[in-house]
């Protein structure tokens, strides 16, 4: 619960004694600082693989509970194979690769593979992901995965603001024919803020029916090898907004969504922030709460 923590170049490995998480970033009581965020770089988590223990387990690999944390190149892997051979769902148990409960968390280059429930679970506000690669678990059956409704990337049902670019969910149901409803799940109002999401059928059995929620075509046996969901933009230019509206950032990042008291990628303040908000390095380039033009409200 301090600003500016840096952790880089580390491998975290589950052991034979159950743990709640391999990395716990913050207690959940600290908002963090946009001027001095915490950063984790080149972090690798694994649950299984080496032969030193016959079986290992953890509930989660990485938990981010503080606000204003940046992740750069994380690969979180539940072993689909070990030194002893292939694995099944009873081996090397792990529910989630990443859980984010803190606000204003950003991930660059995130990969999560083979966990037994939602691979990534994000319930913090104003999260952003730039490139995400995931592989669903290989050995699960319909009851363990499809009927349970698990996905490769989930944003919690009450989250108001989240944006992601290039979220890919890959599937190889090796042992059973599994029908999954979607690769990605989020509140319906956030679907437009998933840019170029996709699902990819690698091999094996079954099908993922939709890319995100109930949108996008199927990938899998009898369907496409890969499918993207890229709807046409439905953003309507308006001259005015209310504090807290989902709007566009300005300048180079026009088209990138922000909401209320948060910062745009160029460190400027969101055009719909309140007048007394001073949490970003730069002020508003435009202020739609005062009737500026060229801003869209969704």
């Amino acid at each position: 619960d301090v600003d500016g923590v840096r952790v880089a170049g580390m491998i975290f490995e589950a052991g034979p004694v159950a743990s709640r998480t391999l990395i716990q970033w913050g207690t959940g009581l600290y908002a963090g600082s946009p001027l001095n965020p915490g950063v984790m770089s080149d972090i690798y988590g694994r649950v299984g693989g080496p032969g030193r223990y016959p079986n290992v387990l953890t509930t989660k690999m990485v938990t981010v509970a503080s606000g204003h944390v940046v992740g750069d190149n994380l690969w979180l892997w539940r072993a689909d194979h070990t030194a002893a051979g292939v694995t099944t769902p009873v081996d090397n148990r792990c529910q989630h690769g990443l859980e984010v409960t803190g606000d204003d968390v950003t991930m660059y280059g995130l990969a999560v593979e083979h966990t037994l429930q939602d691979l990534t679970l994000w319930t913090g506000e104003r999260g952003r992901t730039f490139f995400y690669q995931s592989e669903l678990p290989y050995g699960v059956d319909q009851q363990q995965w499809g009927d349970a409704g698990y996905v490769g990337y989930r944003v919690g049902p009450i989250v108001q603001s989240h944006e992601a670019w290039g979220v890919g969910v890959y599937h190889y149901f090796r042992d059973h024919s599994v029908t999954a409803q979607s690769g990605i799940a989020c509140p319906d109002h956030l679907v437009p803020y998933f840019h170029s999401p996709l699902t990819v059928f690698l091999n094996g059995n079954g099908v993922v029916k939709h890319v995100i929620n109930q949108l996008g075509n199927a990938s899998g046996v009898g369907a496409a090898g890969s499918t993207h969901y890229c709807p046409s933009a439905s953003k309507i230019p308006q001259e005015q907004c209310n504090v807290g509206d989902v709007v566009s950032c300005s300048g180079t990042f026009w088209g990138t969504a922000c909401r209320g008291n948060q910062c745009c990628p160029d460190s400027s303040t969101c055009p719909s922030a309140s007048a007394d908000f001073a949490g970003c390095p730069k002020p508003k380039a435009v202020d739609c709460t005062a009737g500026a033009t060229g801003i869209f409200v969704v």
Side-chain angles (χ1 to χ4, degrees):
D1 288 352
V2 295
D3 296 337
V5 174
R6 301 290 189 269
V7 177
M10 301 187 73
I11 296 175
F12 293 83
E13 182 179 331
V17 177
S19 59
R20 191 172 63 84
T21 186
L22 301 183
I23 299 176
Q24 175 74 41
W25 197 292
T27 63
L29 303 176
Y30 192 65
S33 168
L35 303 179
N36 193 16
V39 179
M40 61 178 86
S41 303
D42 302 328
I43 299 298
Y44 307 96
R46 66 186 181 195
V47 183
R52 65 176 65 91
Y53 302 117
N55 206 353
V56 298
L57 69 164
T58 185
T59 303
K60 294 166 281 190
M61 284 184 250
V62 175
T63 303
V64 181
S66 289
H68 292 288
V69 176
V70 177
D72 177 18
N73 187 32
L74 276 68
W75 183 35
L76 311 177
W77 180 69
R78 174 185 164 268
D80 58 296
H81 63 281
T82 68
V86 299
T87 63
T88 70
V90 301
D91 303 314
N92 307 310
R93 286 168 291 160
C94 178
Q95 294 178 9
H96 311 291
L98 174 68
E99 182 179 33
V100 178
T101 60
D103 295 338
D104 303 293
V105 173
T106 299
M107 290 286 162
Y108 298 95
L110 172 63
V112 183
E113 298 189 326
H114 312 139
T115 65
L116 298 172
Q117 296 183 21
D118 296 327
L119 278 67
T120 289
L121 177 59
W122 204 306
T123 57
E125 287 291 347
R126 298 177 297 280
R128 295 185 300 166
T129 296
F130 297 84
F131 179 75
Y132 176 79
Q133 180 269 333
S134 65
E135 285 185 12
L136 304 184
Y138 293 170
V140 290
D141 59 25
Q142 181 64 30
Q143 182 179 15
Q144 292 167 328
W145 190 263
D147 292 349
Y150 297 135
V151 294
Y153 189 104
R154 183 182 300 277
V155 179
I158 64 172
V159 173
Q160 295 300 305
S161 178
H162 189 93
E163 192 159 16
W165 292 259
V167 173
V169 177
Y170 296 67
H171 56 102
Y172 166 39
F173 295 123
R174 182 190 62 208
D175 301 334
H176 304 279
S177 182
V178 176
T179 298
Q181 286 300 310
S182 66
I184 304 164
C186 70
D188 287 340
H189 70 273
L190 293 178
V191 169
Y193 300 101
F194 277 77
H195 308 283
S196 302
L198 68 149
T199 60
V200 178
F201 171 57
L202 295 172
N203 207 337
N205 307 292
V207 65
V208 174
K209 294 176 67 175
H210 303 285
V211 176
I212 180 168
N213 294 356
Q214 300 300 309
L215 301 168
N217 295 326
S219 58
V221 175
S226 64
T227 181
H228 298 69
Y229 179 68
C230 297
S232 58
S234 60
K235 298 161 183 175
I236 303 171
Q238 295 184 2
E239 294 185 356
Q240 199 164 357
C241 70
N242 297 313
V243 171
D245 280 347
V246 178
V247 300
S248 167
C249 292
S250 59
T252 303
F253 291 94
W254 195 96
T256 298
C258 64
R259 182 190 184 105
N261 293 345
Q262 66 177 145
C263 305
C264 290
D266 63 356
S267 298
S268 65
T269 302
C270 179
S272 67
S274 59
D276 59 353
F277 177 66
C280 300
K282 299 178 183 178
K284 295 182 183 182
V286 291
D287 187 353
C288 58
T289 65
T293 60
I295 302 297
F296 66 71
V297 181
V298 176

